[in-house]
Amino acid sequence: MEPFRALFRPGRINSLQIANRIVMAAIGNKLADEGGYVTDQAIDYYVERARGGVGLIIVKLSSVMANARGSKNHMAAYDDKFIPRLHALATAVKRQGARIALQLGHHGNNSSHPRRQKGFPPGEQVIVGPSPIAYIETGVIPKELTRDEIHELIEAFALASWRVKEAGFDAVEFHGAHGKLISQFLSPYYNRRTDEYGGSVRNRARFGSEILAAARGKVGPDFPLIMRMDGWDGYEGGFTLEEAIEAAPLFAEAGADALHISAGASEATHWQFLTYLQESGALVHLAEAVKKVVTVPVITVGKLGDPVLAEEVLREGKADFIAMGRPLVADPYLAQKIRDGRSEDIRNCIFCNNCVGSGSYKGWSCTVNPAVLREREFSIRPAPVKKVVMVIGGGLAGMEAAKVCAQRGHRVTLFEKSSDLGGQWNIACQQEHKQHFATVTRRLQKEINETGVKVVLNTEVTKALVERRPPDAVIIATGAMPANLSVRGTDHKNVVQANDVICGTAPVGHRVVVIGGRHVGMEVAIALARKGKNVSLITRRKMGRDVRKAIRLALMSMLMELEVRLFPYFEVVEIRDNGVMAINEGSLFVFKADTVILAVGALPENGLIDRLSSAVPELHAIGDCLEPKDALTAINQGAEVGRIV
């Protein structure tokens, strides 16, 4: 039996034949210009995934009304003027053998988020909802839609569907999940209406059902319509699985040719974008439950990049198609590699969620795939002049830079002062829920070996070493070291660094105070609480500052479940043998502790930058030695400098 026969069995949605069961879920950012027109960059992005063997690509949400754009860089389908650029995208993707659908949606009350309003004249982008219930994220109360406005929206969805068909797309997906407007109508929390659009599940599903029926009237009987819906909103008072089981047949009856079952409204994005903290395939049971009550194909989604798991889901009949978003951002050729028996070559998504939301590297990127939305410019081109390149530091930034330099034809030597490549990333890989992070270093080591990089371990580079055999170019990637606190008592025996706790080299007593409320502090607190420790977590600012929303939600949920005591906005002023002294709002508090753990960031190891600045003709510094950030920045900087040496 072929190992992935089910994944590569052809499928059908309505009249649409699809080559395999792998679907690219709608994911991306800044795929349009400020006018809403598809960019060449977006076409390159989707074409790369089509080349990689995906059966069906679902293009991220396009707006159906001019006063509900979602953002300046969202694609639009509310006017015929957008058809030519949409056609260019559809044609380019289909030329590679994939099928393509366009997702249509309306943000409803989510339009109150500042990022949705940014760049538009005040009041232009309307904030509407099924009922005047304050949006949890912003506190803004939307305007309640009238019946006439609902009918206007239904017509807008239908006309946009016609445009999608005219543009040459193979299908439409209506975004009825993740807290978008159709989802808000389904939600008993946001929909408090007493007319035919509120109350019972049938009534709350009426808006989505009427959109399907109206679209069917515009596109004809054979054009596939897909409804994306949540099997569970992910928060108390939201849409439940029992209600989804009731609503799904209503959507199928109204004209949906397939149902794409996700989870997590915007109030619970850790279920919308499953994080490294959650189990793979954690949403499959929702699709499985829906599949039992409908006859149309069901698409499942949620950490399904493991081909063995994806195949198992299909063979067991839990779903008909497997949707992947982030795994295909990480590796556009994932499907092809599975089909060719090269699963070990997949550039695995680590579900760090750096690609989700705002604030990503240079707008939008991927930790393990720096070429995202730079597919054309990031193709490897031979160096015009072959050089001898020394890379100092074998962490993620240094490994990526060494690999790319070698791919371009340079003669590269990578120096690492320890006995292993990977740097600080090796410590992260020892944490609970992060063992799979080691796939990043394993892949980079494999690629370094394949490209002929010479690796020198257990060697600390000095200026004298560089001057003995001067290279043409040096790339410094010496990383960072754990920071300390500038308070009295950090030299006490009861004070340890979080990294040492993670590595198991520091003893930890029963009463623990963790100082630092970002990723590492929160994760260490959770790990120790699970071991039965009595844990308090102190931070001088917001708990979870600079942590991605979905990951922060997951971490905070775990901390609360484990009854870790949380103390945001507490400034540590002294550490004593028996605990920690901290100030909050002018009052002094004492936290008793056997062990005090520091998780207060990192300091750059940048001494070589000045020492080598006049010793070599070409010098670059990348990664944490410039400014401690994250793996996303480190790998991207390594990829960039590797292309300019």
Side-chain angles (χ1 to χ4, degrees):
M1 181 182 291
E2 297 175 27
F4 301 110
R5 187 179 64 181
L7 266 176
F8 291 97
R9 187 172 67 244
R12 175 194 289 267
I13 298 176
N14 194 322
S15 62
L16 181 66
Q17 290 279 1
I18 302 169
N20 58 56
R21 302 305 177 101
I22 300 174
V23 176
M24 181 179 181
I27 186 169
N29 195 28
K30 297 187 176 181
L31 300 173
D33 62 21
E34 290 198 353
Y37 296 93
V38 175
T39 62
D40 289 340
Q41 195 177 34
I43 293 175
D44 291 343
Y45 167 73
Y46 285 116
V47 164
E48 188 78 351
R49 276 84 199 155
R51 284 194 187 115
V54 172
L56 171 65
I57 289 174
I58 302 176
V59 175
K60 193 182 175 185
L61 187 146
S62 292
S63 53
V64 299
M65 298 192 78
N67 65 359
R69 286 278 306 280
S71 86
K72 279 282 190 180
N73 295 108
H74 267 163
M75 291 184 190
Y78 59 80
D79 191 282
D80 292 357
K81 66 184 181 181
F82 298 109
I83 292 176
R85 287 301 294 168
L86 289 170
H87 180 262
L89 169 58
T91 302
V93 166
K94 291 164 74 172
R95 193 178 292 129
Q96 303 301 324
R99 299 295 195 170
I100 185 168
L102 185 65
Q103 186 184 78
L104 299 175
H106 189 297
H107 288 88
N109 61 20
N110 184 260
S111 293
S112 64
H113 199 287
R115 73 175 182 273
R116 304 264 179 240
Q117 297 289 330
K118 186 177 180 181
F120 294 104
E124 179 185 290
Q125 297 298 294
V126 298
I127 302 168
V128 298
S131 301
I133 304 299
Y135 180 47
I136 291 172
E137 275 200 81
T138 62
V140 174
I141 298 174
K143 177 190 178 297
E144 182 177 49
L145 288 161
T146 66
R147 283 189 180 88
D148 286 345
E149 288 169 335
I150 290 172
H151 297 154
E152 182 183 352
L153 277 165
I154 291 167
E155 181 66 9
F157 271 99
L159 286 171
S161 301
W162 172 83
R163 294 185 189 103
V164 173
K165 183 180 179 181
E166 285 295 299
F169 281 75
D170 297 302
V172 161
E173 178 177 85
F174 298 113
H175 201 339
H178 305 162
K180 302 302 186 284
L181 186 58
I182 297 173
S183 172
Q184 292 160 31
F185 269 87
L186 288 169
S187 167
Y189 182 90
Y190 285 117
N191 187 347
R192 314 285 178 90
R193 300 178 73 98
T194 57
D195 62 7
E196 68 270 30
Y197 291 100
S200 67
V201 172
R202 177 176 289 274
N203 281 356
R204 284 185 273 129
R206 190 180 305 277
F207 179 56
S209 297
E210 290 184 355
I211 287 172
L212 285 161
R216 178 62 67 209
K218 298 289 186 184
V219 300
D222 300 327
F223 189 75
L225 302 177
I226 303 167
M227 176 61 78
R228 191 172 204 190
M229 61 180 289
D230 286 332
W232 174 52
D233 273 351
Y235 66 93
E236 190 70 26
F239 193 58
T240 66
L241 177 57
E242 291 73 25
E243 291 174 316
I245 290 169
E246 189 176 345
L250 299 175
F251 288 145
E253 182 182 336
D257 297 304
L259 298 172
H260 185 172
I261 309 301
S262 188
S266 53
E267 295 80 4
T269 52
H270 55 310
W271 292 109
Q272 175 183 344
F273 299 106
L274 294 176
T275 72
Y276 62 85
L277 297 155
Q278 291 147 293
E279 295 297 320
S280 295
L283 307 183
V284 169
H285 70 286
L286 304 174
E288 182 182 17
V290 168
K291 185 168 168 55
K292 291 175 181 176
V293 297
V294 297
T295 57
V296 298
V298 171
I299 305 168
T300 189
V301 71
K303 283 187 77 170
L304 290 168
D306 178 357
V308 175
L309 174 59
E311 176 75 11
E312 180 182 289
V313 169
L314 294 176
R315 287 191 177 180
E316 292 180 358
K318 295 177 179 178
D320 301 290
F321 290 88
I322 301 293
M324 305 177 188
R326 291 165 294 171
L328 287 165
V329 173
D331 193 339
Y333 290 84
L334 179 148
Q336 185 181 98
K337 290 174 182 177
I338 298 170
R339 187 183 58 219
D340 294 347
R342 297 188 295 117
S343 295
E344 72 280 359
D345 292 335
I346 292 172
R347 187 192 294 118
N348 292 287
C349 173
I350 58 173
F351 301 98
C352 63
N353 277 5
N354 278 331
C355 63
V356 177
S358 59
S360 188
Y361 184 82
K362 295 188 176 179
W364 197 67
S365 191
C366 169
T367 295
V368 300
N369 181 12
V372 170
L373 286 184
R374 300 190 279 184
E375 281 78 12
R376 188 171 303 187
E377 66 186 89
F378 253 47
S379 59
I380 297 295
R381 297 179 178 88
V385 177
K386 304 299 187 288
K387 298 178 180 179
V388 175
V389 179
M390 172 187 282
V391 180
I392 307 171
L396 300 184
M399 294 169 79
E400 180 71 23
K403 174 196 75 176
V404 175
C405 284
Q407 287 173 334
R408 296 181 58 231
H410 295 307
R411 187 154 58 90
V412 183
T413 303
L414 173 60
F415 288 84
E416 167 56 39
K417 67 180 180 181
S418 73
S419 58
D420 297 294
L421 295 177
Q424 298 288 318
W425 195 248
N426 292 337
I427 298 173
C429 296
Q430 295 183 50
Q431 290 179 266
E432 189 177 9
H433 300 296
K434 285 187 174 179
Q435 289 85 352
H436 66 288
F437 279 24
T439 59
V440 180
T441 44
R442 284 199 296 268
R443 175 182 55 80
L444 283 170
Q445 288 186 47
K446 182 174 183 289
E447 291 170 343
I448 280 173
N449 292 336
E450 291 172 347
T451 53
V453 173
K454 180 182 178 182
V455 177
V456 180
L457 300 174
N458 300 304
T459 302
E460 185 164 3
V461 174
T462 62
K463 183 178 180 181
L465 188 153
V466 174
E467 289 176 335
R468 277 201 297 273
R469 287 191 178 180
D472 300 311
V474 170
I475 300 171
I476 299 176
T478 43
M481 59 183 347
N484 208 335
L485 274 180
S486 299
V487 301
R488 287 170 53 188
T490 55
D491 57 344
H492 289 195
K493 292 181 180 179
N494 63 332
V495 181
V496 298
Q497 284 286 348
N499 282 3
D500 295 324
V501 174
I502 293 167
C503 295
T505 58
V508 179
H510 179 66
R511 292 181 305 175
V512 180
V513 169
V514 179
I515 302 173
R518 291 191 276 185
H519 277 103
V520 175
M522 297 171 86
E523 290 165 350
V524 167
I526 288 167
L528 293 175
R530 284 186 169 147
K531 293 178 179 178
K533 306 291 186 183
N534 186 317
V535 184
S536 297
L537 179 57
I538 299 174
T539 183
R540 64 192 177 97
R541 297 186 189 173
K542 167 185 167 183
M543 194 67 67
R545 180 170 61 95
D546 297 333
V547 178
R548 295 278 173 191
K549 179 183 174 183
I551 292 172
R552 182 177 183 271
L553 278 169
L555 288 169
M556 289 293 288
S557 297
M558 292 177 177
L559 289 165
M560 291 167 67
E561 288 171 10
L562 292 164
E563 299 182 353
V564 173
R565 288 172 298 283
L566 307 176
F567 297 94
Y569 304 104
F570 276 71
E571 185 84 27
V572 174
V573 293
E574 185 175 347
I575 300 174
R576 296 189 171 186
D577 289 335
N578 64 343
V580 173
M581 299 177 69
I583 294 174
N584 174 260
E585 296 187 3
S587 298
L588 182 65
F589 296 84
V590 178
F591 298 84
K592 299 293 184 182
D594 305 313
T595 305
V596 178
I597 300 172
L598 302 183
V600 292
L603 296 173
E605 296 250 33
N606 53 17
L608 270 180
I609 297 175
D610 287 338
R611 289 197 289 273
L612 296 183
S613 60
S614 60
V616 293
E618 183 178 352
L619 181 69
H620 304 272
I622 56 175
D624 286 354
C625 73
L626 284 177
E627 181 183 0
K629 287 194 173 179
D630 57 11
L632 171 70
T633 303
I635 292 177
N636 272 268
Q637 288 182 353
E640 289 169 351
V641 80
R643 285 166 169 79
I644 63 173
V645 170

